[in-house]
């Protein structure tokens, strides 16, 4: 399984904080996961996940979307951070 | 353990005492960030800070360690709140000890500038007029963080 | 009245509270200078600080006012001791409030860098081995102060 | 009268903290005052007041030695400052 988490604007747009996705062999990269989520979620998900400046984290580190996934990974999508 | 991420308000005095008890040095520089009462959008009533538990602590720990290496710090401590912040409340506190004041200033500023764009916090402003606005990341903050990466300030 | 020059030890917490009570802002940067336990000359037992009463206060008041103009500060406070300073005692404390963190950092560092070469204090170190040494002004401090005059840091 | 004050190393070298000097017409500038002090004080005073890097203050402001003096002025001599 993959744990997928959403924060801030993206969490609100999807009305979803967290979901579990089965780790198929076809979910090779983070890009594949995004496509998969948009396929099942529809237009609202495409808009939220493909807006410019989305930050992608894999196991709590920011990564590029061509990063490979493995079972048990935690993926997160969020807008640019505004701490401090 | 030099990172504290908590929902409850904190006392700046107490945080400084904790840093003092754990380390020393000739120069201590601290930064305390308070809730502004005004933004470009108007008068602010309160703030809500969302964060990514676990990742936040890890990013801040790594940031402190990077600052130690880069500026030869003797000690550091980072405190950051999440949840609802009221007027006049401190949001973030960073304290940095070094043997020379220039290193302490640089170390503290490096941590603050990097924290702004690397620590997974998101701010939502509750305006006096009832609007609720997610704060946009500032280009200026990203530029500062890049400048540190490129060593512009040294 | 934002300048305090006194012989007695002071509490950093109390000074920060006084500054907070008198002003506000989004970012507060403080510097606290402690007695080093070591110099190029060896292990230090204690320090004696001589000053020029009257001139000291005036120089520090003018320095704070200059920092307000230059960095758009919202508030500032400078505390400096004279007389005998023991190990672990704070010697100087500078706190600066601004609307933006970069201004607060720059304002505090400007005050410290300028104070070093412009405020009439002279340090005498009492070494562990019994020697008594007047501290020499550092070329580096003069260079930093000149760099501010020439606007190098902005 | 002029009040003349000495600090730090210079105070110790002269073993003098403060003295009063009558303001003659011939004491036009700070340079004149220094010459006057050295004349009455001797070699030790010459050495202390003419060492390199002596800082001169007039009425609690740092000035050059060609600055003119007037009755009631406070003059001070000290080494470079080492505050902070």
């Amino acid at each position: 399984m993959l744990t997928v988490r959403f924060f801030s604007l993206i969490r609100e747009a999807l009305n979803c904080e967290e979901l579990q996705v089965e780790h198929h062999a076809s979910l090779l990269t983070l890009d594949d996961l995004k496509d998969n989520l948009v396929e099942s979620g529809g237009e609202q998900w495409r808009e939220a996940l493909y807006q410019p400046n989305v930050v992608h984290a894999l196991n709590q580190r920011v990564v590029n979307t061509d990063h490979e996934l493995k079972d048990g990974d935690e993926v997160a999508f969020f807008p640019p951070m505004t701490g401090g | 353990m030099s990172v504290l991420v908590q929902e409850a308000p904190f006392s700046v005095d107490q945080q400084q005492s904790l840093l003092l008890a754990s380390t020393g040095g000739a120069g201590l520089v601290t930064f305390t960030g308070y809730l502004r009462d005004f933004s470009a959008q108007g008068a602010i009533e309160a703030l809500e800070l969302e964060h990514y538990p676990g990742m936040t602590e890890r990013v801040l720990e790594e940031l402190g360690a990077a600052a130690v290496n880069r500026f030869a710090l003797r000690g550091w401590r980072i405190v950051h709140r999440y949840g609802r912040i009221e007027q006049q409340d401190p949001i973030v506190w960073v304290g940095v000890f070094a043997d020379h004041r220039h290193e302490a200033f640089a170390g503290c500023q490096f941590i603050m500038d990097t924290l702004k764009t690397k620590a997974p916090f998101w701010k939502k402003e509750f305006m006096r007029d009832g609007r609720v606005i997610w704060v946009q990341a500032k280009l200026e903050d990203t530029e500062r963080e890049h400048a540190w990466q490129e060593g512009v300030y040294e």
Side-chain angles (χ1 to χ4, degrees), chain A, chain B:
Chain A
M1 293 294 266
L2 303 170
T3 302
V4 189
R5 306 179 69 171
F6 308 99
F7 291 95
S8 179
L9 264 179
I10 297 180
R11 173 181 55 71
E12 286 186 347
L14 301 178
N15 195 24
C16 176
E17 216 166 281
E18 184 175 326
L19 52 80
Q20 305 287 323
V21 175
E22 211 161 329
H23 183 237
H24 298 293
S26 64
L27 290 184
L28 203 66
T29 67
L30 243 149
D31 275 322
D32 298 334
L33 173 64
K34 280 178 84 162
D35 288 343
N36 182 282
L37 289 169
V38 165
E39 252 171 60
S40 48
E43 193 46 42
Q44 202 170 0
W45 284 65
R46 177 181 309 280
E47 214 172 280
L49 297 186
Y50 281 99
Q51 64 185 282
N53 297 326
V54 171
V55 182
H56 309 84
L58 177 60
N59 299 325
Q60 307 190 352
R61 289 187 184 276
V62 171
V63 293
N64 291 327
T65 51
D66 57 0
H67 215 291
E68 285 191 20
L69 299 174
K70 61 180 194 309
D71 198 40
D73 277 350
E74 176 176 306
V75 177
F77 298 89
F78 44 79
M81 298 167 257
T82 55
Chain B
M1 177 61 175
S2 303
V3 167
L4 183 63
V5 179
Q6 67 176 27
E7 188 162 7
F10 63 86
S11 146
V12 165
D13 294 353
Q14 199 193 343
Q15 295 309 319
Q16 183 151 334
S17 299
L18 285 167
L19 178 59
L20 274 166
S22 71
T23 188
L28 168 64
V29 171
T30 73
F31 177 85
T32 314
Y34 292 88
L35 177 54
R36 286 167 213 267
D37 52 2
F38 238 87
S39 77
Q41 312 292 326
I44 299 171
E45 179 72 33
L47 190 76
E48 204 171 276
L49 260 168
E50 183 172 339
H51 82 306
Y52 187 164
M55 180 170 171
T56 309
E57 287 83 350
R58 211 176 38 67
V59 167
L60 296 181
E61 285 281 358
E62 287 177 3
L63 186 48
V68 166
N69 282 330
R70 185 157 173 176
F71 303 102
L73 303 183
R74 294 271 293 260
W76 59 278
R77 188 170 175 83
I78 303 174
V79 184
H80 206 302
R81 285 185 64 191
Y82 61 87
R84 189 172 171 97
I85 317 278
E86 304 293 339
Q87 284 295 341
Q88 312 295 331
D89 273 2
I91 302 170
V92 57
W93 184 85
V94 174
V96 154
F97 252 117
D99 284 328
H100 302 283
R101 74 183 183 286
H102 181 63
E103 293 166 346
F105 275 110
C108 190
Q109 194 157 13
F110 166 78
I111 289 176
M112 276 308 304
D113 285 350
T114 311
L115 180 159
K116 282 259 167 191
T117 59
K118 296 293 185 196
F121 287 102
W122 301 275
K123 281 180 182 152
K124 194 190 232 178
E125 287 172 346
F126 293 80
M127 311 304 287
R128 286 264 162 80
D129 60 14
R131 285 173 302 153
V132 177
I133 302 170
W134 282 103
V135 173
Q136 300 288 307
K138 291 199 197 86
L139 180 60
E140 186 206 328
D141 287 333
T142 307
E143 285 171 349
R144 275 194 193 284
E145 195 268 314
H146 286 168
W148 281 109
Q149 277 184 29
E150 287 156 22
V152 170
Y153 297 132
E154 273 127 311

